[in-house]
Amino acid sequence: MNDTLTPSARPDTGTPTQSGETRVASLLHPALRQLRYHVPVVAMYGILKLIGFAVFMHLLDSTGDFRRKNPRFGGGAHAWDVLASWDGWWYQQVAAHGYDPALVRIPEASGLITLEGNSAAFFPLYPGAMRLVSSCTGLGLYGAGMLVSVLASFVAALGIHAVAARVGGRRAGLVAAGLWAVWPGSGTEWSGYSESLYVALAVWACHAVMSDRWLTAGVLTFAAGLSRPTALALIAALTVAALRTLHHRQEDVARPMAAILVAPLGLMGYLLWVGDRMGDLTGYFKLQKGAWAHTFDYGRQTLDVFSSLAVGRTDYLFPSPFEDVIGVLVVLTGLLLIPFLIRLRPPAVLVVYTLLTFVLVLGSQQIFGNVSRYLLPAFPLFIPLAVRLRTVGLPLLCALLAVTAMASGSYAGYALFELGVP
């Protein structure tokens, strides 16, 4: 009897195992590569935010002014309570009780504030996420809101890195993510506010447009429209980019057209729902103007603040001098960076989004000190700075960002929440 085995009859000693290991390795390798790619971004952003956040909490605790304030207006029993005051209080009310849109006049009121505040002024996505996370985790609304904001801030950092890397390379993307952590207004990223969630949606919507993933871009823009009214800038930017694509492409027009149709439905749907409940289709805008003196005035108040501060006056609307000076510096920095952004010739979606965000913010009558957080979503401004800083050695770059992060505890945190009105 011939004991020699043919190849097909050889015992399976190790071959399947090696094949299985090869398949597992082939699956794990892309995941590990992505992990190595993203870990530096997450680490840099997280460390910088922790530095700034620790300084912010120290300043709050050392001064103790929050203990003498109303918990709704920058006060509380603990320093961290401040993070969910002001607008954060309203978001918790929506999460807990839902909406009852109404235009209620204040008896015998005249002047700027004639209507009672109503939670319909605050868009539903963030409080809806708070309520969902609270139900799933057992956390209270405060803890759920902070969890949503912190996680969304990391998602936004990864998106900013991805967009900036497409324009200026991986090092520029890393710097841009670091700038997101220390930019004026960044104190709201880890707070009971909707900035982090909105920016996460906006940046990945822009990235989807840049990657020709139109349905994803449309859905993300739809969601952003349920987060903040300034999503109008994102909707317009997506529309311009889609129309440019349709102009240069004769085939596969369905997806850009679908994105154009889907993108505005979140914003328009919420505004129409509020108007219908109030019995006035312009009810949202009347509420903003009558209860918060927030309306589009074509830049008159912005000019008034600039001209007043230039001569040392503070007799303009809602003055908060220290916070307002920071706001002026943010506006001037942004206006200086816009030409450098355009010079890089980035995708049109980034330019249109940035320009319209500036127009909507600077063209509105509002508490001017809030401009630093209202312009926080203009993340493409980070790109020209990041491109300039990408040649700096990593140790020096980390040192510069770390020092800036320590300072941000004051200018981006304490000044916003305690010396002004966020």
Side-chain angles (χ1 to χ4, degrees):
M1 180 176 180
N2 188 357
D3 292 333
T4 304
L5 298 176
T6 62
S8 59
R10 290 186 185 276
D12 290 335
T13 56
T15 303
T17 303
Q18 293 172 0
S19 177
E21 289 175 352
T22 301
R23 285 197 298 271
V24 170
S26 66
L27 292 173
L28 287 178
H29 183 67
L32 291 174
R33 186 171 56 191
Q34 288 294 317
L35 186 62
R36 287 197 300 268
Y37 186 76
H38 293 308
V39 162
V41 183
V42 172
M44 171 171 278
Y45 175 76
I47 291 170
L48 292 175
K49 281 303 300 179
L50 283 172
I51 292 171
F53 189 78
V55 172
F56 179 23
M57 290 295 102
H58 172 72
L59 292 174
L60 283 172
D61 188 63
S62 61
T63 58
D65 292 341
F66 68 92
R67 297 186 181 93
R68 297 184 289 275
K69 294 183 178 181
N70 188 308
R72 281 187 59 183
F73 308 115
H78 307 94
W80 56 82
D81 291 332
V82 174
L83 302 172
S85 59
W86 301 105
D87 288 5
W89 181 88
W90 282 103
Y91 283 123
Q92 290 186 70
Q93 297 305 301
V94 176
H97 308 296
Y99 290 108
D100 184 18
L103 296 172
V104 180
R105 290 194 61 85
I106 301 173
E108 301 181 3
S110 60
L112 286 174
I113 307 299
T114 59
L115 298 175
E116 292 183 3
N118 186 282
S119 60
F122 298 87
F123 276 51
L125 186 63
Y126 179 64
M130 289 172 62
R131 185 163 186 167
L132 177 63
V133 171
S134 178
S135 299
C136 293
T137 64
L139 293 171
L141 291 177
Y142 173 92
M146 288 295 295
L147 181 60
V148 170
S149 293
V150 171
L151 291 179
S153 74
F154 280 96
V155 174
L158 289 169
I160 290 168
H161 171 266
V163 169
R166 292 281 291 268
V167 178
R170 184 178 178 185
R171 175 64 72 86
L174 188 63
V175 177
L179 291 173
W180 159 245
V182 302
W183 199 256
S186 60
T188 58
E189 292 170 14
W190 287 9
S191 72
Y193 278 60
S194 64
E195 267 72 15
S196 289
L197 182 58
Y198 173 71
V199 174
L201 293 167
V203 68
W204 282 109
C206 290
H207 187 269
V209 170
M210 295 164 63
S211 305
D212 206 30
R213 293 180 287 117
W214 291 102
L215 295 180
T216 300
V219 171
L220 290 173
T221 304
F222 166 88
L226 292 171
S227 181
R228 297 191 65 81
T230 47
L232 180 62
L234 181 63
I235 294 167
L238 179 146
T239 302
V240 169
L243 291 175
R244 283 170 57 89
T245 297
L246 292 172
H247 178 71
H248 293 98
R249 179 192 299 174
Q250 300 302 319
E251 70 284 351
D252 192 22
V253 300
R255 288 182 296 172
M257 283 299 302
I260 292 174
L261 295 175
V262 169
L265 295 182
L267 177 62
M268 291 175 57
Y270 180 69
L271 294 179
L272 289 174
W273 178 80
V274 169
D276 179 67
R277 290 287 301 273
M278 289 180 173
D280 184 338
L281 290 182
T282 62
Y284 174 84
F285 303 100
K286 289 182 177 178
L287 177 63
Q288 284 279 34
K289 183 176 182 179
W292 280 275
H294 193 161
T295 186
F296 195 79
D297 69 348
Y298 300 93
R300 285 192 293 272
Q301 193 209 350
T302 300
L303 289 174
D304 186 32
V305 172
F306 269 73
S307 59
S308 296
L309 288 176
V311 295
R313 289 169 43 199
T314 57
D315 55 353
Y316 51 87
L317 186 65
F318 303 132
S320 295
F322 186 65
E323 187 186 28
D324 294 341
V325 169
I326 293 173
V328 167
L329 293 175
V330 172
V331 171
L332 293 177
T333 300
L335 293 176
L336 288 172
L337 288 174
I338 286 174
F340 289 100
L341 173 66
I342 296 173
R343 188 179 180 183
L344 291 173
R345 297 184 179 276
V349 65
L350 299 180
V351 176
V352 175
Y353 171 72
T354 304
L355 291 176
L356 289 183
T357 298
F358 263 78
V359 170
L360 291 174
V361 172
L362 300 185
S364 297
Q365 174 184 285
Q366 59 200 339
I367 299 175
F368 182 81
N370 284 348
V371 77
S372 63
R373 78 175 179 93
Y374 290 153
L375 288 176
L376 184 61
F379 66 88
L381 293 176
F382 306 159
I383 297 175
L385 269 180
V387 169
R388 296 282 179 172
L389 290 171
R390 67 185 174 182
T391 58
V392 176
L394 189 59
L396 178 57
L397 176 64
C398 291
L400 289 172
L401 288 173
V403 172
T404 308
M406 286 189 285
S408 74
S410 173
Y411 69 74
Y414 191 84
L416 192 65
F417 280 89
E418 286 294 283
L419 299 182
V421 179

